[in-house]
Each structure stands twice: as C-alpha cells, then as structure tokens.
Amino acid sequence: MIAKRMITKLEGGSLIRKMFEEGNRLKAIYGADKVFDFSIGNPDLEPPKEVTDALIELASNPTPGMHGYMSNSGYESTRAIIAKKRSEESGLDIKADAVCMTVGAAAAMNDVLHSLLDDGDEVIVLAPYFMEYNNYIDNHGGKVVSVSTDDNFMPDFDAIAAAITAKTKAIIINSPNNPSGVIYSAEQLTKLNELLKAQDHVIQVISDEPYIDLVYDGMEVPAVLKYIDNVVICFSWSKSLSLPGERIGYTLVSPKNEDYADLTGAIVLSNRILGSVNAPAIWQKVIEKSLYAKVDVANYEYRRNLLYGNIIDAGFDSVKPNGALYVFMKTPNGMTDAEFAAVCAKYNLLLVPGASFSRAGYCRLAFCVSEATIKGSRQAFFAIAEELGIAHKAEL
C-alpha cells in the first residue's frame, strides 16, 4: 500500500488540473471554439527569438562535455551573469556563489524549504496563494500558517505579526501574485523587513518570483533584494520566456542574509539530495545567451484588458491585476466560489474556485489563452450575469 499521506493527497488532487481535464472533455464534445477554458496558467506564447536562436546555436555547435555534469549549483558562467543582472537591479554586490541553478521554481522552493525546516517549523503564507506551497512545506515537515491579505490582496501586517511564533521559520511572498496579480510596493516590502527584523529570531523571506517580468500599465516590481535583508529568491523562466516544460530556474540568497554562508551551502546540497543533481545543462547555456529577453508582454496586457473588460462589463467585480497571468474575480450575490463555478460551467466557461488558493468567495481566470477564447467568452459572461440577475455595465 502507498503512504497514507499520499492517499490523502490523491483524494484532494489539484482542482486546477481537474478543471483543465474537464475543459478537454468539453472541447471534445462541443468543439474548442465553444469552450472557454481559463483554468490553467500554461503560457501560450512561443519563447522569444533569442531563446530559439540560442538553442539552435548550441545544438549546431556542440562542445565536448556540454551535456555532462557540472557543479550541483550549476555553471559558474550562468550563475555569474544572473548575479550581475540582479546586482544591477538591486544595487547590491551579488556574487555567483549566491546563485544555485534549479529545475524550475518548484525545485528552488523545495531546496530552500529543505534547507530551512525542522519538523514542526512554521511557514507563513499570504492568502490567496499558489496552493502547491502547501505541498512544498509539507514535503519537509513544516506547518502552513495561512494569513489573509486585505480586500485588495495586500499584506495585513497586524495579522502577520499576530501569526509569528517561536516556531516561525519563514514567510513566503509572491509579487506579482498568483492568483490576484497584485504587486507589493517598496514601502510594503520595507515594512515587512522591519517587522521581521524586530523579532527575536531570524525569519527568512522566500520570494517566489516567476512573474516579475510580466507587469502591465507601466508598473515596475520593486527589487525585493533591495528592501528585505533575510531573503531568498526563487525564480523560474517558465513565464517570462514561455519555458514551463523545460524546468529551469534558480535560487539566490541575499548577501545581506544573516545565514548567507550556511544557507547557500545547504541549498546546493539540497539540490543534489532531493534528486535534481543539477539543472539541465543546455538550458543553463540558453539562459546565458537570452537572459535579458522577454516574451511579448504587451500581448498579455492586451488580453488581460479583454478579459477584465468582459468581467466588468457583464456586471461582475474584480481587482484589476497589475502583473502575472490571472484575474481573480469576486463571486456575485453571496454565492460560494464552487456554486459560481458550477453556473459558469453550464455555459462552458471554466475557472478555478478561490478556495483552491485559500481565498473563498473568488475565482481565478488565466488570460494566457487565445484571443479568440477571450473574445468568445464575452457572450457567456453576459449570459451568466443574466441568469444571476446581475445588471450589465456595458453592451454585449
């Protein structure tokens, strides 16, 4: 028999994946153009030309040993150029040793949590949050402490302070946020740093940053390294370069971190003993050649505007996201998120209930889907609003 904890996890499963599978089932019945699936954040833009050019160049001009092992932390040259970029952004003097190349941000976070947690240690997460944090923390014997953000999904510092105990080892932040798309300001990051530094023990900030390059309306994401001392960055190119299937990312420990020496060493060791050994060799070299490239962010901003417009015009309510790939809309008329999702499904419109992100009363919609899907969904939003007796704010 498999482990009891895995039986429990299998029974729960991932609602995002379940909705994605339901979308595939409906498309087979009604046709893809009649199903409006906003369930999964799978970037649909192709990688930038710099990425494909680099991959072709490396494959066409192989060098001896290019597919072999390297240091568990990754190629020195790759880590050095990442450290240089982060130094430019933060104004800090960051060395290559601060960086460990990983198999995406998921592996990065597991490396960090494995390095930090003893059994029973607590990790604060700010709801709404990416639900896989629960599994990552549980993987290493930790306890999830969920703290709600305010009505605009910004940190509630009184609630964070009240949640801190002698067992608090870390807090995870995610800006731009999945699912809400909000961006934490420099003032908020500074306030968080002051709060944590005032505690009687070190509390590490784990900054999950896969969306920092996907920002709209001329906004900028403040460099967390500039404002928080005891921080570890977990980054992935899954979104900024449209490489979710290639699994390439890194950790970076701030040079201001009180546990710098121990933590950098522990993360590299965790990268090996958790099974990654090292990040994919060829993708490290691709990153070196395309580090400053991005996907077509303007395209995502356009689609965000289309989807957000559909939601608001039909009479629903939502905070407009400044970054990431999602709209987190409020469920209407006091409905639960599951009830609202069920009504939407009647019109072949699929979204993910907010309870999956520890924030009931909302639903998440990913706008990294085709323009045709977003435009086609407008009529469905209006039809759902009519069924629920919600007054439209604009014409269909």
Side-chain angles (χ1 to χ4, degrees):
M1 177 180 290
I2 65 172
K4 293 177 181 177
R5 61 184 176 79
M6 289 305 298
I7 292 175
T8 302
K9 289 180 185 295
L10 285 170
E11 289 172 349
S14 168
L15 189 52
I16 293 177
R17 288 288 172 178
K18 289 178 181 177
M19 296 299 289
F20 180 65
E21 290 165 5
E22 174 65 4
N24 288 336
R25 186 186 74 83
L26 292 174
K27 289 171 188 175
I29 297 172
Y30 300 107
D33 61 328
K34 299 295 191 300
V35 177
F36 315 110
D37 186 358
F38 299 103
S39 63
I40 192 165
N42 189 19
D44 69 327
L45 296 180
E46 289 303 307
K49 186 175 185 296
E50 294 92 330
V51 171
T52 53
D53 285 350
L55 188 59
I56 291 169
E57 178 187 343
L58 289 163
S60 302
N61 301 282
T63 57
M66 68 180 285
H67 299 291
Y69 288 128
M70 77 296 294
S71 165
N72 295 136
S73 58
Y75 285 120
E76 170 80 18
S77 56
T78 309
R79 293 184 289 115
I81 193 172
I82 291 168
K84 177 178 180 293
K85 183 175 186 290
R86 287 290 190 160
S87 296
E88 294 167 351
E89 295 167 351
S90 66
L92 301 178
D93 182 16
I94 300 171
K95 306 297 186 185
D97 288 348
V99 179
C100 177
M101 304 304 297
T102 63
V103 184
M109 295 197 73
N110 275 277
D111 288 347
V112 173
L113 290 164
H114 188 75
S115 300
L116 288 175
L117 299 183
D118 291 311
D119 286 348
D121 281 347
E122 297 170 355
V123 180
I124 294 173
V125 292
L126 304 181
Y129 62 89
F130 181 48
M131 75 292 297
E132 292 294 349
Y133 293 165
N134 294 333
N135 288 325
Y136 301 161
I137 293 166
D138 180 66
N139 285 345
H140 310 289
K143 177 185 175 183
V144 175
V145 178
S146 179
V147 174
S148 289
T149 53
D150 67 19
D151 290 342
N152 293 313
F153 309 119
M154 293 299 182
D156 180 335
F157 293 101
D158 289 337
I160 293 171
I164 294 173
T165 72
K167 296 289 286 181
T168 304
K169 190 60 89 53
I171 177 171
I172 297 175
I173 62 173
N174 173 220
S175 170
N177 177 258
N178 174 12
S180 69
V182 301
I183 297 171
Y184 298 165
S185 69
E187 291 74 19
Q188 289 168 319
L189 296 174
T190 299
K191 190 171 182 178
L192 178 61
N193 188 53
E194 292 171 350
L195 170 62
L196 298 180
K197 294 282 282 185
Q199 305 305 311
D200 60 5
H201 65 285
V202 173
I203 298 175
Q204 294 287 343
V205 175
I206 302 171
S207 183
D208 183 26
E209 302 189 354
Y211 300 102
I212 59 171
D213 292 318
L214 303 183
V215 183
Y216 316 116
D217 305 317
M219 295 278 291
E220 291 186 2
V221 179
V224 172
L225 287 163
K226 185 176 181 179
Y227 299 101
I228 296 181
D229 295 341
N230 295 318
V231 64
V232 185
I233 304 297
C234 294
F235 181 82
S236 164
W237 283 279
S238 291
K239 307 303 191 291
S240 63
L241 294 182
S242 280
L243 297 172
E246 304 301 348
R247 313 310 305 143
I248 183 68
Y250 64 83
T251 64
L252 188 155
V253 181
S254 170
K256 297 186 292 184
N257 198 303
E258 294 179 55
D259 294 328
Y260 180 86
D262 288 343
L263 193 47
T264 51
I267 288 171
V268 174
L269 179 59
S270 295
N271 201 39
R272 174 168 63 84
I273 65 180
L274 291 178
S276 294
V277 182
N278 54 250
I282 197 166
W283 283 104
Q284 292 188 54
K285 292 299 184 181
V286 169
I287 292 302
E288 282 188 40
K289 295 175 179 293
S290 54
L291 184 63
Y292 289 84
K294 292 182 187 179
V295 293
D296 185 358
V297 178
N299 185 301
Y300 280 143
E301 182 170 353
Y302 171 70
R303 285 190 266 175
R304 180 215 50 179
N305 291 341
L306 283 179
L307 179 58
Y308 181 76
N310 288 350
I311 292 167
I312 299 302
D313 290 350
F316 299 108
D317 185 24
S318 175
V319 171
K320 191 174 187 179
N322 294 126
L325 295 172
Y326 316 101
V327 177
F328 203 48
M329 66 176 291
K330 194 170 185 178
T331 57
N333 299 342
M335 300 177 73
T336 68
D337 42 6
E339 289 170 344
F340 181 61
V343 173
C344 291
K346 289 166 53 179
Y347 296 87
N348 291 344
L349 195 153
L350 303 179
L351 34 69
V352 182
S356 293
F357 305 93
S358 292
R359 193 63 172 255
Y362 293 84
C363 288
R364 191 194 80 170
L365 300 92
F367 54 80
C368 49
V369 299
S370 71
E371 182 180 331
T373 294
I374 299 174
K375 288 182 174 179
S377 72
R378 187 172 177 86
Q379 186 168 355
F381 279 109
F382 276 69
I384 294 163
E386 287 183 8
E387 176 172 328
L388 299 177
I390 296 170
H392 304 325
K393 293 181 181 176
E395 295 299 318
L396 178 61

